[in-house]
Amino acid sequence: MISPQNVIWGPREGRDPGIRVLQDEVEAKFIPWIDLERELRDRLMPQLFVDPSGFTFVTRDYHGKSNWLVQLMDEDGEWYCDVWFGVNPDNGWAVDGMVHFGEADEEPHVWQSYQRYSDGTYRRLPSWASSLDEYKRREGKPTSQR
């Protein structure tokens, strides 16, 4: 039976880059970044954009914290948006176990949200737009040329 799972970014809890996958609030497994990046690219990226080619996920250091941030980069290697695993910046950074995409410095912070499932798929939760490029178009934000 496929069931919803919650996730939390490992470095937030002193772990290596990757996500703790929680089932019924107990860690079911840990997915290291090398595997998680592939899962995100293959299973989530096609849901994020009309044309996801050229986009990549990267980890970044933040104020001396190694691999603290995850960001989505466009085909030119430029920052496109932030990715948060397990915390919701629109709710005071509360832990909610979902995967959120958006921009930390602008309201609303979260543009799209997803929940991970036990089969490694992601399902979109109610969001501002059906794709990230649609959100940027709607908000009049620059999008990459395709």
Side-chain angles (χ1 to χ4, degrees), residues 11 60-69:
R60 299 271 192 219
D61 296 347
Y62 182 72
H63 293 291
K65 297 176 183 178
S66 182
N67 298 305
W68 192 255
L69 302 176

Side-chain angles (χ1 to χ4, degrees), residues 43-115:
R43 297 187 176 182
L44 186 55
M45 188 82 76
Q47 297 180 63
L48 299 177
F49 298 100
V50 173
D51 178 8
S53 59
F55 285 90
T56 57
F57 292 96
V58 298
T59 62
R60 299 271 192 219
D61 296 347
Y62 182 72
H63 293 291
K65 297 176 183 178
S66 182
N67 298 305
W68 192 255
L69 302 176
V70 177
Q71 296 177 329
L72 188 56
M73 311 302 276
D74 69 14
E75 67 273 4
D76 295 324
E78 297 293 323
W79 173 90
Y80 191 86
C81 71
D82 297 313
V83 184
W84 301 286
F85 295 95
V87 295
N88 186 342
D90 282 345
N91 190 20
W93 298 97
V95 174
D96 67 1
M98 304 301 127
V99 181
H100 302 285
F101 292 83
E103 187 171 348
D105 296 329
E106 291 206 15
E107 297 284 338
H109 301 104
V110 175
W111 306 337
Q112 280 193 324
S113 300
Y114 292 82
Q115 182 158 30

Side-chain angles (χ1 to χ4, degrees), residues 7-13 15-21 29-37 59 67 70 85:
V7 300
I8 192 76
W9 184 236
R12 179 180 166 84
E13 298 185 335
R15 303 276 299 264
D16 289 333
I19 54 171
R20 291 183 61 218
V21 178
K29 66 180 169 177
F30 182 82
I31 302 174
W33 177 249
I34 193 165
D35 298 328
L36 177 62
E37 190 277 330
T59 62
N67 298 305
V70 177
F85 295 95

